[in-house]
Structures are given as C-alpha cells and as structure tokens.
C-alpha cells in the first residue's frame, strides 16, 4: 500500500495548490472561522471562570464543612466544633492548599444614624489570606491583624449607607445560643471594596475570637472553608475530607452549594461546542462548494484515473485527503491567530462601558479571556470531523463518476 | 490462444426518446500477439467496442472474454483491477494527469499496482527512454507537445506490463511525423514483446500498419481481413 498512499498524498497535495488563489481564500476563511471559534470560547470561558471565581470568593473555598442543620438555619445554635483529630490531619495535607474556620452569623449593624442587616464574618485573617477570601481592596485603614482584633472592617457602600466612616464606632448585634441578644461596640478600622457592590453591603468582618466571645460559643465555628486551588478538580479530593469529617458534619462541594454556578460551568462545554458547530456549518458551505468546483474542473482526469484502474475508493480517499490538508492548514492558521490575539488580552479587557447589569450575573467590569487547550482541541475535532463529513458528498460524487462519460466530457 | 473473444455484442444508447445503436451483434476473436486496426466512419461504434473490450463499459447483451475472464459478468471493482493489471490504455487526448511529471505519470499506474519503489523508478526511466523521451522525465504534461504526451501515455501503458493495449485514435491529434513515430513504436512493442494491440482509427495512414483490419459501420462488423502491413509509405 506504500506506493498507493504516497501517490495519492502527492496528488492530493498538488491538486490543492492548483488553484492556489481559491485555496488561499478558503484557507483564510477556515483560519478566521477557527480563530472565531477559539476566541469566542475563550471569552465565554473567561466569563464563567470569573463568575465562578467571584462566586467562590463569597462562598469561599471549593469545599465547606458545616453543622448538618446550618444551611437551613444559619444561627449560632448550629455551630460546629473547630476541626480536630482526623479532620484536622486531612486539612493539613495536600491537595488541600488552604483552609479557614470562621464564624458566620446573621447580625444587625448600627451606626449613630442607621442600622442594617448584614452577615457577620468572624475570621482569622492569616487563614483567610491563604484561602484568598479577603476583600479585594482596602480603601481606607487596614484589615484585621489577627483573630483577636477588636475592630470591624466594613464595605465602602455599607459605610456610606450607615453614614459612618473610618475610626467611628458601630454596634453589632446578634443572638447567642440561648436566644439572648449579644452585642458589642467596635471601632471601624478599615473600609474595603469588593468587585461586587452587593458583597460590600452584605459582609462585615470581625475577629473570630472576639465574636466567639461575644456569642459565648467557646471555640465553635459556623463553617470551615477548604481550598485546593482548582475548582474544576474538586470532586477528586472532596470525598477524602468527607470521610475525615465523620457523620456529624456536612461536607459539600461548591457545586452542591451553588447549583447556579455549577450548572453554568457544566453547560459551558456544551455552549462552546454548539458555538463551534454553528460557525463551522457556515464555513462548510464554502468548503463543499470549493471541493465541488475542484471536482467539476477535474472530471476528465478523475475519469482517466478510473479508466486506468484506480478504484473509486481511492478517488474518494484522494479528495478527502485534499480536504484534510486544507482543514489542517486552516486549523494551524486559526490556532496561531487565536494564540496571538488572546495571549495579550489575558491580562483583561475593560468592558465597563458595556458591562452595566453584568454584575447581576456575578461578573466584574473586566473580562479575562482564557485560552484553554481543551477549546483548541475541541475546535480541531469539530473542524476535522465536520469538515470531512461535509467533503464526503462531493468526494463521493467524484468517486461515482462513470469513467467513459467523464473522459468524454468536453 | 485468444486474447479477446466478443460474441454477439449489443449496445444501445438512449438519448431522450431516441435509441442509438452503438454495437449491433458484433462477434470477433483476436489472438494474443495480433496487431488489429478497427476502422470505420465516425459513429460506427469503434470507441464503444474498445470500451467494451477494456472493461470500461458493459454491453447490453453478448459475451466478452479477455484472457480468461468474462468481463460482462464482473463488477465495477473487479473491472478496475483488470484495467489496472492487464490492459494498457492510450486515449485520443487527456491521457495524462496534469499535476504529475512525465515520469510520475508513468510511475502512477505502477504505484497503484504496488510495484516496489526501486523497480518502479528504473522501469519508468527505461520505458521513457524506449519511447524516445530521455531528458524530459521531469516535465509536466503542459510542457510537452501533443506527440510527446501520447508517447508518455504509451510509456505508461507498457510500464504496467499489459497483455493487451487498447488505443482509441491515438494519432488523431498528431502531425504525420509524430503519428509515424508512434505507430513505429507500437509495431516494435508488438513484435519484440508480443503485446496484443487493438487500435481504432479512421486515419488511413494508421491502417497501413495493421496486419488485420476490421471495419465497422453503424455498429455492425462489415469486414475483417488480414493484410500485409506496409506502414505509411503506400497509404
Ligand atoms: N454516451 C453516449 N450516449 C449516447 N450515444 C452515444 C454515447 N456514446 C456513443 N454514442 C453513440 O453511439 C454510436 C457509436 O459511437 P462511437 O463513439 O462508438 O463511434 P466511433 O466509431 O468511436 O466514432 P468516432 O470515430 O467519431 O470516435 C454513435 O452514434 C454515438 O453517437
Ligand atoms: Mg470514437
């Protein structure tokens, strides 16, 4: 077969360049199509990445451990003991990269002017920093120094609503496990900004030990957040944590905690595939037309090859190979273009001008396109599989030509 | 031994309402090593008969045997294999694949046949030299004259080592000199290698080379005579 496949490859390659202008145009069309596929999916991936990322910043961590009733009733009654023993050991070893135990309770915060319902987070700053769940930016003052810090840190827009400012005192109020009001006055030591304004209004940070004392819960916490730095891989390590936590605690991954985010993520690959197929279907008309023209122009020599004893299957193979060469060249071009255009943009595209309302979907005003190898692979698969399928029709018709008629065609 | 046996071959073509006779009860037997000319006016059925002999077209009825095989009973794929391995074709025009050089055109059939590369290259060189084209191996068909192109086609036909060469008006597009050269080549191959030739033509110069002259008219065989070949001189 060596001789046959060689001659067929030579014929396919030379025929491809016979009408080089048409080939170049088609190549450009495929290249741009592939570029569009990858570029669009990079944007989409960037958006979902960001949604998940912002979502996780609030959650935070890819896995959370709670008292089994905490999620239906997030009050201090449903606290859990600080991790010890087997669970602590599991949290301290890879793949876990960071974990933090925090108190998280509904509370009311009051300034001299106004009061608001908020979520009070009692945190250990060092652990939260490792987890990456600190506020995005401190506008004024400082963040808490440690778990025993007696100050509070408010979001900028909450401070505005409360008409308070750095250095002033606020009162925080919540319930202790016996349903008594627990409260304390604290100084505002820092004002933060979050990527999402709604977060700024919701979360108030205080020292964990200070809150534990105020709520009289000893060393108990509301939740433990755990991260291994890749939210897509969470299913591979969450079960080990679950085993270590035992039966008295509920261990949930972010996919279970935030079904909206996880369904966004799982639909993304489907969306990307649909997008690619749609782009390619538009392209395939050009491809089929190009190949049909090529066959039409070469009817006589196809007839000749058949008359000389080349089996129809070889004719089919030759034309599919010609199409494959074109597709592969187009793919190289498109992937190259995509790489060249996306890499410089990975540091972010400012879309604040058109992004009003995007925040509702959990997105910021900067878009970070993400070039993913799986998207490049998927576009390659789509182009080659659909491209060859589309080429099958003209190639089939060429293979079915009657040699006598083809030779006599004038 | 008979190279070709045709028995009661009939073939009609349909063109709209009209039924055109291609072959009308043609019976003919050609022995191995013969040099036969098919002649007759335009539309007399020469091409139709050659196509039937070459397994390019199947007759409506009748039997056709080439070597030991009944072509009228074979499928398309098997016919393709017979054309590839046992028959050399030289057509009137468009004989060559435009993107392949003279040498590649000759090697083409051998590659499809699966002849090993070393043997292939040597044989291609040799047959091209035999047809007088040494030095032109790398030229594309567009860079060759009509006569040279026909000679490449002949070289390709011989290189495939056929038992039978079918040539349909091979000289129709050639000047007298090129035509004579081509016919001399055919005669040499026939005499030296014993290849059977069936050549269709309405060129009287070509008929002069044949040892047997078969005449067709309206799809019927009207005469079949042996003759003393005299080349072009007495045409
Ligand atoms: N594909 C076809 N469709 C319709 N009629 C055809 C077809 N092929 C041949 N014919 C008819 O069959 C008859 C015989 O044709 P054929 O080509 O065998 O003649 P020929 O002797 O080769 O003529 P020429 O010398 O012009 O090549 C002619 O009348 C021709 O018009
Ligand atoms: Mg004819």
């Amino acid at each position: 077969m060596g001789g046959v496949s060689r001659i067929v490859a030579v014929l396919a390659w030379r025929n491809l360049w016979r009408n080089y202008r048409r080939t170049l145009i088609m190549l450009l069309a495929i290249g741009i199509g592939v570029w569009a596929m990858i570029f669009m999916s990079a944007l989409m991936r960037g958006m979902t990445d960001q949604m998940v990322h912002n979502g996780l910043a609030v959650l935070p961590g890819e896995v959370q451990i709670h008292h089994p009733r905490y999620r239906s009733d997030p009050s201090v009654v449903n606290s859990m003991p600080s991790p010890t023993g087997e669970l602590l050991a599991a949290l301290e070893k890879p793949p876990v990269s960071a974990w933090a135990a925090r108190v998280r309770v509904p509370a009311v915060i009051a300034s001299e002017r106004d009061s608001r319902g908020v979520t009070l987070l009692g945190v250990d700053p060092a652990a939260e920093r490792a987890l990456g769940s600190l506020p995005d930016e401190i506008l004024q003052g400082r963040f808490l120094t440690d778990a025993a810090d007696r100050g509070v840190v408010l979001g900028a827009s909450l401070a505005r609503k409360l008409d308070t400012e750095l250095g002033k005192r606020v009162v925080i109020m919540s319930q202790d496990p016996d349903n008594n009001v627990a409260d304390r006055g604290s100084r505002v030591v820092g004002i933060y900004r979050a990527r999402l304004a709604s977060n700024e209004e919701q979360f108030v940070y205080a020292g964990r030990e200070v809150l534990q004392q105020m709520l009289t819960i000893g060393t108990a916490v509301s939740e433990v957040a755990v991260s291994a730095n890749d939210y897509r891989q969470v299913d591979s390590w969450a079960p080990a944590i679950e085993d270590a936590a035992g039966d008295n605690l509920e261990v949930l991954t972010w996919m279970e905690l935030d079904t909206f985010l996880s369904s966004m993520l799982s639909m993304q690959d489907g969306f990307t595939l649909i997008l690619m197929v749609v782009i390619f279907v538009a392209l395939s008309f050009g491809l089929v037309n190009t190949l049909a023209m090529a066959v039409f122009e070469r009817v006589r020599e196809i007839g000749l090859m058949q008359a000389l004893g080349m089996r129809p299957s070889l004719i089919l193979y030759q034309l599919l190979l010609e199409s494959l060469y074109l597709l592969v060249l187009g793919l190289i071009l498109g992937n190259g273009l995509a790489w060249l255009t996306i890499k410089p943009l990975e540091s972010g595209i400012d879309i604040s001008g058109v992004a009003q309302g995007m925040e509702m979907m959990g997105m910021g005003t900067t878009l970070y396109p993400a070039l993913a190898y799986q998207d490049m692979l998927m576009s390659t698969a789509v182009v080659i599989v659909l491209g060859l399928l589309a080429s099958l029709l003209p190639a089939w018709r060429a293979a079915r030509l009657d040699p006598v008629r083809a030779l006599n065609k004038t | 031994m008979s190279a070709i046996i045709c028995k009661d071959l009939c073939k009609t073509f349909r063109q709209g309402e009209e039924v055109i006779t291609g072959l009308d009860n043609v019976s003919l037997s050609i022995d191995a090593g013969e040099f036969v000319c098919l002649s007759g006016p335009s539309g007399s059925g020469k091409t139709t008969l050659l196509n039937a002999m070459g397994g390019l077209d199947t007759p409506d009825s009748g039997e056709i045997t080439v070597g030991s095989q009944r072509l009228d009973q074979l499928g398309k794929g098997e016919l393709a294999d017979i054309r590839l391995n046992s028959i050399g074709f030289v057509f009137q025009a468009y004989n060559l694949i435009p993107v392949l050089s003279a040498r590649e055109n000759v090697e083409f059939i051998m590659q499809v046949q699966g002849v090993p590369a070393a043997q292939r290259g040597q044989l291609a060189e040799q047959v091209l030299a035999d047809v007088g084209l040494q030095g032109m191996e790398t030229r594309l068909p567009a860079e060759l004259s009509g006569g040279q192109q026909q000679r490449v086609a002949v070289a390709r036909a011989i290189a495939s080592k056929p038992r039978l060469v079918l040539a349909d008006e091979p000289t129709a597009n050639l000047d007298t000199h090129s035509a004579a050269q081509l016919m001399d080549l055919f005669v040499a191959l026939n005499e030296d290698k014993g290849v059977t030739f069936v050549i269709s033509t309405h060129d009287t110069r070509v008929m002069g080379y044949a040892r047997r002259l078969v005449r067709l008219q309206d799809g019927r065989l009207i005469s079949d005579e042996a003759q003393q070949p005299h080349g072009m001189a007495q045409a």
Side-chain angles (χ1 to χ4, degrees):
Chain A
M1 267 319 266
V4 191
S5 29
R6 216 192 88 80
I7 188 66
V8 168
V10 167
L11 282 170
W13 180 255
R14 291 195 193 159
N15 280 327
L16 181 63
W17 295 106
R18 220 150 133 182
N19 191 329
Y20 69 94
R21 189 173 305 175
R22 187 170 65 203
T23 299
L24 284 180
I25 290 172
M26 202 52 222
L27 207 56
L28 208 60
I30 297 175
I32 290 173
V34 169
W35 170 82
M37 288 178 193
I38 300 175
F39 197 85
M40 296 293 284
S41 34
L43 286 184
M44 281 180 25
R45 192 168 291 278
M47 285 196 219
T48 26
D49 272 356
Q50 211 180 345
M51 267 186 243
V52 173
H53 190 265
N54 290 349
L56 288 179
V58 182
L59 271 174
E62 301 103 76
V63 166
Q64 292 187 0
I65 309 170
H66 297 117
H67 185 280
R69 279 194 305 275
Y70 176 81
R71 290 208 310 142
S72 53
D73 175 16
S75 78
V76 268
V77 187
N78 296 323
S79 301
M80 59 176 277
S82 218
T84 51
E86 205 184 329
L87 178 56
L88 185 61
L91 293 175
E92 290 294 340
K93 71 173 192 233
V96 173
S97 58
W99 65 276
R102 64 253 299 258
V103 173
R104 178 183 172 126
V105 286
V108 171
I109 184 164
S111 68
E112 293 151 349
R113 308 268 177 134
D114 208 345
S115 64
R116 297 251 146 191
V118 295
T119 299
L120 193 54
L121 293 174
V123 298
D124 172 359
E128 299 289 338
R129 189 167 295 118
L131 201 61
S133 61
L134 290 184
D136 298 318
E137 190 187 348
I138 297 297
L139 289 178
Q140 292 176 310
R142 57 171 176 84
F143 195 69
L144 306 168
T145 50
D146 53 45
D149 194 317
R150 312 190 76 79
V152 292
V153 176
L154 309 184
S157 85
L158 179 64
R160 217 174 305 120
K161 295 237 156 97
L162 290 173
D163 204 358
T164 186
E165 59 192 37
L166 191 69
K168 291 215 167 160
R169 287 186 72 85
V170 289
V171 175
I172 48 180
M173 282 171 279
S174 190
Q175 285 182 330
D176 71 12
D178 302 321
N179 284 340
N180 299 316
V181 172
D183 61 351
R184 57 170 283 125
S186 295
R187 200 170 292 281
V188 178
V189 297
I191 306 275
Y192 73 87
R193 162 145 47 213
R195 233 176 285 176
L196 302 182
S198 57
N199 290 353
E200 275 180 23
E201 288 178 34
Q202 192 187 350
F203 295 105
V204 172
Y205 292 85
R208 185 177 71 205
E209 288 170 19
V210 177
L211 284 193
Q212 283 168 334
Q213 212 175 337
M214 171 181 120
L215 297 168
T216 66
I217 52 173
T219 60
V221 294
S222 311
E223 67 185 13
V224 173
V226 192
S227 172
N229 267 337
D230 185 352
Y231 61 82
R232 289 170 202 268
Q233 299 299 325
V234 67
D235 282 335
S236 68
W237 55 272
I241 303 287
E242 198 163 353
D243 286 345
D247 294 337
N248 295 328
L249 291 174
E250 183 183 49
V251 175
L252 293 173
T253 65
W254 67 270
M255 297 192 195
E256 295 156 321
L257 289 163
D258 191 330
T259 47
F260 173 71
L261 280 186
S262 63
S263 60
M264 277 301 298
L265 195 70
S266 62
M267 278 191 303
Q268 188 196 357
D269 286 347
F271 275 142
T272 311
L273 184 63
I274 290 170
L275 179 87
M276 289 180 171
V277 169
V278 166
I279 293 178
F280 193 81
V281 165
L283 259 183
S284 64
F285 288 101
L287 184 72
V288 170
N289 189 48
T290 304
L291 207 61
M293 292 268 286
V295 168
F296 180 76
E297 288 166 1
R298 279 185 238 144
V299 163
R300 262 202 222 104
E301 60 193 85
I302 291 169
L304 173 69
M305 289 191 278
Q306 296 199 354
L308 294 177
M310 201 163 173
R311 279 180 171 239
S313 55
L314 273 180
I315 307 276
L316 184 83
Y317 172 49
Q318 185 196 317
L319 284 156
L320 288 183
L321 196 62
E322 186 174 334
S323 182
L324 184 68
Y325 286 149
L326 185 67
L327 293 170
V328 167
L329 288 176
L331 276 167
I332 293 173
L333 182 69
N335 279 281
L337 277 178
W339 198 83
L340 286 177
T341 50
I342 295 172
K343 275 291 164 193
L345 293 177
E346 277 187 337
S347 54
I349 309 170
D350 186 359
I351 53 163
S352 49
V354 291
Q356 246 129 55
M358 296 289 262
E359 202 165 85
M360 260 168 36
M361 291 169 59
M363 301 201 8
T365 54
T366 308
L367 198 55
Y368 300 90
L371 187 62
Y373 291 106
Q374 74 201 77
D375 290 339
M376 294 173 115
L377 277 180
M378 202 196 296
S379 66
T380 301
V382 164
V383 167
I384 294 208
V385 171
L386 292 189
L388 288 182
L389 277 180
S391 311
L392 215 49
L393 182 69
W396 177 254
R397 280 170 50 182
R400 296 275 318 252
L401 282 174
D402 173 37
V404 176
R405 283 212 205 133
L407 269 174
N408 288 333
K409 185 181 168 266
T410 42
Chain B
M1 195 195 97
S2 293
I4 307 172
I5 303 168
C6 302
K7 211 163 153 192
D8 304 326
L9 289 187
C10 291
K11 176 87 182 174
T12 54
F13 298 99
R14 220 165 256 285
Q15 207 151 44
E17 294 290 284
E18 225 181 329
V19 176
I20 302 163
T21 307
L23 294 175
D24 185 3
N25 266 303
V26 173
S27 295
L28 178 68
S29 166
I30 296 173
D31 286 340
E34 277 200 86
F35 196 105
V36 181
C37 240
L38 294 179
S39 73
S42 185
S44 58
K46 303 183 293 293
T47 299
T48 308
L49 182 56
L50 276 180
N51 286 346
M53 289 174 172
L56 278 167
D57 212 353
T58 39
D60 297 339
S61 65
E63 294 171 11
I64 179 152
T65 310
V66 170
S68 55
Q69 266 153 320
R70 279 282 297 274
L71 298 193
D72 50 297
Q73 291 174 342
L74 297 179
K76 282 191 171 185
E78 292 162 310
L79 286 176
D81 287 344
I82 289 186
R83 292 199 297 273
L84 178 68
N85 294 308
S86 322
I87 303 173
F89 286 95
V90 180
F91 300 103
Q92 178 177 340
Y94 313 114
N95 256 305
L96 305 179
I97 297 165
V99 290
L100 299 181
S101 69
R103 183 194 164 131
E104 287 167 331
N105 262 289
V106 173
E107 281 193 54
F108 168 75
I109 296 275
M110 291 191 272
Q111 278 172 303
V112 180
Q113 283 177 329
V115 177
Q119 198 179 328
R120 208 162 66 205
Q122 210 180 356
L123 189 56
E125 295 276 331
Q126 192 200 316
V127 291
L128 278 170
D130 287 349
V131 300
L133 289 176
Q134 56 272 73
M136 302 192 187
E137 292 88 351
T138 57
R139 291 209 198 167
L140 291 175
E143 298 161 348
L144 294 168
S145 74
Q148 289 166 338
Q149 287 181 30
Q150 288 303 75
R151 278 189 276 159
V152 175
V154 174
R156 178 186 60 204
I158 326 164
S160 69
K161 302 222 156 78
R163 283 172 286 157
L164 169 66
V165 171
L166 301 176
D168 193 4
E169 313 209 20
T171 60
N173 295 332
L174 302 184
D175 59 73
T176 308
H177 177 68
S178 305
Q181 268 188 330
L182 190 70
M183 291 314 294
D184 288 336
L185 190 62
F186 283 167
V187 170
L189 285 168
N190 173 251
E191 287 174 354
D192 301 347
K193 305 217 164 103
V195 180
T196 313
F197 274 82
V198 181
I199 301 169
S200 90
T201 188
H202 35 210
D203 185 342
T204 47
R205 300 171 304 180
V206 171
M207 294 172 208
Y209 285 84
R211 274 185 272 130
R212 180 174 171 192
L213 189 60
V214 174
R215 285 179 199 277
L216 293 176
Q217 194 164 13
D218 300 327
R220 263 189 304 257
L221 203 152
I222 54 165
S223 79
D224 181 355
E225 303 157 349
Q227 67 171 24
Q228 197 57 42
H230 44 72
M232 281 198 183
Q234 300 167 29

